[in-house]
Amino acid sequence: LTTTAPKSPASTYDLLPFRFAAFRGQDYIVTNLVGEYAILPRGILVDFVRKALPRSSATYTDLKGRHFLIDDPSSVALDLLAAKYRTKLAGLASFTGLHIFVTTLRCNNLCGYCQASAISPDKARYDMSMETGLKAAAFSFKSPSPELKIEFQGGEPLLNFEIVRSVVARCAELNREKPRQLEYVLCSNLTLLTEEVLSFFEQSGMFVSTSLDGPEELHNKNRPTPTISGYRTVVKNIRRVQEAVGKSRISALMTTTRSSLVFPEAIIDEYVKLGFSSIFLRPINPYGRTTAAASECHYSSAAFCDFYRRALHYILDLNRKGIYFREEYAAIVLRKMLTPYGTGFVDLQSPSATGIGVLAYNHDGRIYASDESRMLAQMNDETFCLGHVDDDYVDVVCSDKLVDMISSTMLESIPGCTDCPYMMYCGADPVRHYRLQGDLVGHKPTSEFCAKNMEIFRMLIELLEDDRSARDIFETWVH
Ligand code: SF4
């Protein structure tokens, strides 16, 4: 954006840091350090940059209120901007809050897209031992974070239920010594749900996350089980968990395969029918079996965005009919756009949340920088292994490897991201870029992660700008 005109002699304001890019037609998007945005016609943007905006204009007032310009010699406005910036990044000070326990690699499902490269159920050597589980619990409590989320993953964690139970008991003990806000989540296909497990969920306050890919035919195609209809079992057991511990303590995740792309409405209807109030529309990951089954499951980021757009509009229509229902990825991004707060969502952090927002303890005691990092380890790549539960906590979290990883994942210094107006809504995802493009930073013009996110950010901003009812609905998703 260039101008040859001289700077206006009437200039009485200074510019605060901002990024900009063409948005649509002659309109540009400008965003600032705290994620505030404005859509400006090109001519207004030129005037703004030349410091030629009239003080009496509504745009001037708006841009001043949103910290794009400053015309006051006092430090009040800058102090406020700094306070908002600190609030956005407050999560960094807490350090690692999410601790993932890979209690076993065994699984009784045969999902073609499995990210964890799950092993068949008879191989007990892929289970976490009691000793490793207890050491991992102690390791996680070394984190200074005032909030700890202990998440049990697999494989299928209920195949090693004793470890889940013992780790929860140990964490409860540790929490009595130095209390934190402690939360447990178990990610399960729910095929092994028993009354004993249900009563454990009730007593421990466990949150349950299961997998539901949509209607029966689609779910069973994506997530085959050797002998039973996975769909019927998971639906029956979702209802049992809802009755036992309440609807708010169970959620479901879907994975979008190529087969899912034509069914956004049916997938959402399935979630509504089961009493869920939200869905996370999750693209397929490039880890584990996904690679071998790429021809069956994979698709372009453009195809995912078409699916996502159709789904989002369908969800908005449901809300307009009085059915409260939320898309979780949109809600995370909208919180970044519409509130002063950050989010703990690990894929959208700068610097990356690897190690400092999340640690994953594999079944064998090795510690990884994220869940995806240990998935990569199942593909014989130990790039993101940080140590072992026998190691000293400080040695692991202050290792050169982790420090290098964090310093390479500041979007503020990454080519492509540093000038991107969507930077404050986005994240680094070094494991995905390493997997797909060979380095932690990645090449953004050809990055699928970048293409998908940029499209979704634009989609949400267009809806916020053009559709009053969509904006009203989005407000209810973030407050
Ligand atoms: S990854 Fe893409 S969308 Fe995200 S900040 Fe970087 S350039 Fe922007």
Side-chain angles (χ1 to χ4, degrees):
L1 190 76
T2 56
T3 175
T4 53
K7 184 173 152 183
S8 163
S11 151
T12 56
Y13 62 87
D14 287 313
L15 304 176
L16 291 170
F18 69 94
R19 297 178 173 84
F20 67 95
F23 187 65
R24 61 183 171 189
Q26 286 296 301
D27 286 346
Y28 281 70
I29 181 166
V30 291
T31 60
N32 69 3
L33 284 179
V34 292
E36 302 257 22
Y37 78 85
I39 306 295
L40 300 177
R42 182 186 171 91
I44 300 275
L45 177 57
V46 171
D47 284 350
F48 166 57
V49 173
R50 288 172 53 204
K51 303 187 181 178
L53 270 187
R55 257 183 185 251
S56 56
S57 71
T59 307
Y60 184 100
T61 308
D62 188 39
L63 292 178
K64 181 180 172 186
R66 295 180 192 220
H67 308 287
F68 285 95
L69 66 87
I70 188 167
D71 60 7
D72 184 341
S74 84
S75 67
V76 173
L78 276 183
D79 290 346
L80 184 57
L81 181 63
K84 286 187 176 180
Y85 191 65
R86 273 199 301 276
T87 304
K88 278 274 177 206
L89 301 183
L92 279 174
S94 303
F95 217 62
T96 319
L98 174 60
H99 298 263
I100 295 173
F101 287 62
V102 184
T103 52
T104 179
L105 287 184
R106 294 185 294 139
C107 188
N108 55 345
N109 274 9
L110 300 165
C111 309
Y113 55 62
C114 182
Q115 304 153 14
S117 302
I119 310 285
S120 67
D122 57 341
K123 299 192 176 173
R125 71 194 166 102
Y126 294 107
D127 283 8
M128 182 177 268
S129 69
M130 188 66 76
E131 186 187 3
T132 299
L134 299 182
K135 281 182 177 174
F139 197 95
S140 60
F141 268 75
K142 297 258 172 60
S143 165
S145 176
E147 294 167 13
L148 293 180
K149 185 188 276 188
I150 307 292
E151 183 172 302
F152 298 99
Q153 285 271 6
E156 168 49 52
L158 290 183
L159 282 166
N160 196 7
F161 180 48
E162 270 318 299
I163 290 296
V164 175
R165 204 154 38 184
S166 301
V167 167
V168 166
R170 181 67 187 130
C171 287
E173 274 172 22
L174 290 164
N175 207 41
R176 279 195 284 278
E177 291 164 20
K178 189 180 172 194
R180 333 279 183 98
Q181 196 176 315
L182 186 58
E183 189 178 302
Y184 307 109
V185 182
L186 184 130
C187 304
S188 166
N189 61 33
L190 287 187
T191 51
L192 303 171
L193 190 70
T194 60
E195 288 305 314
E196 184 189 8
V197 170
L198 266 180
S199 98
F200 168 72
F201 288 168
E202 214 176 338
Q203 285 158 18
S204 60
M206 183 73 71
F207 284 86
V208 179
S209 173
T210 192
S211 298
L212 179 69
D213 277 3
E216 183 161 7
E217 197 178 332
L218 177 64
H219 181 91
N220 286 344
K221 184 175 181 194
N222 283 353
R223 306 181 57 81
T225 49
T227 52
I228 47 173
S229 162
Y231 170 85
R232 288 187 194 171
T233 308
V234 76
V235 164
K236 182 181 82 188
N237 287 337
I238 284 171
R239 292 203 166 107
R240 285 174 71 199
V241 176
Q242 286 174 331
E243 278 164 27
V245 301
K247 287 186 174 174
S248 63
R249 291 250 301 274
I250 176 164
S251 62
L253 272 178
M254 59 81 67
T255 298
T256 311
T257 62
R258 198 154 69 181
S259 305
S260 317
L261 294 174
V262 290
F263 296 118
E265 297 85 1
I267 293 167
I268 291 155
D269 284 344
E270 192 66 37
Y271 273 63
V272 174
K273 188 175 83 186
L274 281 165
F276 290 117
S277 57
S278 71
I279 190 169
F280 195 127
L281 296 169
R282 196 170 61 144
I284 202 156
N285 267 329
Y287 312 103
R289 278 193 205 133
T290 305
T291 310
S295 58
E296 277 176 44
C297 296
H298 205 63
Y299 43 80
S300 66
S301 57
F304 177 77
C305 288
D306 287 345
F307 164 82
Y308 187 89
R309 182 185 300 276
R310 218 170 111 185
L312 190 61
H313 281 273
Y314 187 67
I315 290 169
L316 287 169
D317 281 343
L318 288 178
N319 281 272
R320 289 185 190 102
K321 288 177 193 156
I323 300 169
Y324 178 85
F325 196 79
R326 203 170 60 239
E327 201 289 304
E328 291 291 2
Y329 195 73
I332 289 165
V333 174
L334 288 163
R335 253 174 240 134
K336 292 181 165 219
M337 289 175 172
L338 300 176
T339 79
Y341 307 109
T343 75
F345 183 60
V346 294
D347 291 356
L348 294 179
Q349 301 295 329
S350 171
S352 157
T354 43
I356 59 172
V358 54
L359 284 171
Y361 309 96
N362 212 355
H363 66 100
D364 57 5
R366 287 187 216 198
I367 301 172
Y368 292 87
S370 66
D371 200 21
E372 292 76 11
S373 306
R374 64 92 185 185
M375 292 171 188
L376 211 56
Q378 293 320 125
M379 301 165 78
N380 301 316
D381 189 329
E382 295 286 342
T383 301
F384 296 93
C385 181
L386 299 175
H388 192 275
V389 291
D390 287 329
D391 294 340
D392 180 71
Y393 173 79
V394 173
D395 288 348
V396 171
V397 298
C398 296
S399 63
D400 288 348
K401 195 181 218 181
L402 183 54
V403 172
D404 285 350
M405 202 183 299
I406 298 310
S407 57
S408 334
T409 56
M410 298 279 301
L411 293 185
E412 287 81 352
S413 61
I414 286 182
C417 302
T418 184
D419 296 321
C420 175
Y422 306 106
M423 195 200 78
M424 284 303 289
Y425 315 136
C426 203
D429 209 339
V431 186
R432 176 178 290 261
H433 283 112
Y434 168 82
R435 167 82 187 105
L436 293 177
Q437 298 191 310
D439 69 60
L440 306 189
V441 170
H443 178 249
K444 304 305 173 183
T446 53
S447 156
E448 285 193 10
F449 171 86
C450 174
K452 179 203 81 174
N453 278 320
M454 208 178 276
E455 184 62 25
I456 291 176
F457 300 150
R458 290 173 58 91
M459 201 184 294
L460 293 173
I461 289 172
E462 277 179 352
L463 282 163
L464 283 167
E465 289 300 296
D466 299 346
D467 186 336
R468 184 69 231 183
S469 70
R471 176 178 274 271
D472 290 345
I473 292 162
F474 286 161
E475 295 276 357
T476 68
W477 292 6
V478 300
H479 293 300

